[in-house]
Amino acid sequence: MSVEEVEVGGASMVPVVPVAALVGLLAAAPLRGLIARFAVPEGEPWCDGCPACGRTVRLLPPTGRCPGCRERLGAGPWAVEAVAVAVAVAVAYAADGLVVVTLALAWAATLGVALGFVDARVRRLPYRLTVPLLGGVTALLLAAAPSAGPAVALRCLLAALAVGAVLELAVWLGALGPGDSPLGLALGGLLGWYGWSVALGGLFAAMVLAGLWGTLRALAALARRRPVRGLDVPVGPFLLLGALVAVLAR
Ligand SMILES: [Zn+2]
């Protein structure tokens, strides 16, 4: 990359970053609503209202407290806001080429933030979030396909099936939950748009990051003389983070 390209790229990013950060901050309130609703253990009904006062909560402030009774719902204070802003800025940096592909990336990132918090909290990726994520990404990639040509469309399909198959195998072996497969299909297809190296790189980055996190947790447990129960790591956040890292590093 020449100096001119760096300068042009740098100058063009100046107004984009604050706008992306603001969008991320505004998205955090409804994302908190989704996290509070879907972060419930397997087999329990969705949390459609505040458990303390019954108020329907679709938007939540950065404190994460119910506007009716101040009960803490879902994620901790400013956690969703910080992640949503960071992810929105990362998507803005990663965006180039077709608008519909950027929209697919933004859609996956938006629902991905909710999924990451839900999985970290209750170790599940609800179909109510992963299926809309997959549907939106599929529709937007199909809209982009005529501009990209059959080779790129075929690569998206094969990458989706490859990543989906790896996760389905892990589900079958009992290492992952069933909601992980739609997420794998969506991320595989989306990363496949950018190339095989990005799709496989995303999966590899996810495994490395999850392995590192699991090892750090195990070492921390050992240091505190607590029992270590395998590598108990939520996979969803690392799949999403690995995908974002691969798209940024391409
Ligand atoms: Zn309440």
Side-chain angles (χ1 to χ4, degrees):
M1 191 184 286
S2 71
V3 174
E4 286 80 2
E5 281 171 321
V6 172
E7 282 175 356
V8 168
S12 67
M13 286 309 295
V14 172
V16 174
V17 170
V19 170
L22 184 64
V23 170
L25 196 59
L26 292 174
L31 285 173
R32 277 188 176 277
L34 288 177
I35 295 163
R37 188 168 184 217
F38 291 113
V40 292
E42 194 82 46
E44 288 184 20
W46 302 125
C47 186
D48 284 323
C50 168
C53 70
R55 180 186 175 129
T56 304
V57 181
R58 292 283 178 261
L59 303 171
L60 276 170
T63 55
R65 292 191 181 278
C66 168
C69 69
R70 316 289 299 151
E71 174 84 0
R72 167 74 53 73
L73 302 173
W78 291 99
V80 181
E81 288 71 19
V83 172
V85 166
V87 167
V89 171
V91 168
Y93 267 106
D96 63 357
L98 294 173
V99 173
V100 273
V101 179
T102 301
L103 285 176
L105 191 60
W107 176 247
T110 305
L111 285 183
V113 170
L115 277 166
F117 276 95
V118 170
D119 196 20
R121 201 171 168 86
V122 292
R123 295 290 194 275
R124 71 184 288 206
L125 295 166
Y127 284 128
R128 290 284 293 272
L129 292 173
T130 55
V131 171
L133 192 155
L134 175 59
V137 167
T138 306
L140 289 163
L141 288 182
L142 281 173
S147 317
V152 175
L154 182 64
R155 189 176 66 212
C156 288
L157 178 66
L158 292 177
L161 293 176
V163 175
V166 168
L167 296 191
E168 192 55 45
L169 181 68
V171 171
W172 186 67
L173 291 171
L176 297 180
D180 298 20
S181 305
L183 182 63
L185 285 170
L187 295 181
L190 187 54
L191 298 193
W193 176 272
Y194 300 101
W196 275 111
S197 59
V198 180
L200 299 177
L203 194 58
F204 180 71
M207 288 194 285
V208 169
L209 291 167
L212 274 175
W213 179 247
T215 307
L216 283 174
R217 278 175 52 109
L219 288 174
L222 280 175
R224 280 186 260 143
R225 299 180 187 279
R226 299 245 176 90
V228 179
R229 297 185 196 85
L231 294 184
D232 179 26
V233 173
V235 174
F238 292 101
L239 278 176
L240 291 155
L241 186 60
L244 194 57
V245 167
V247 172
L248 283 172
R250 79 190 189 275

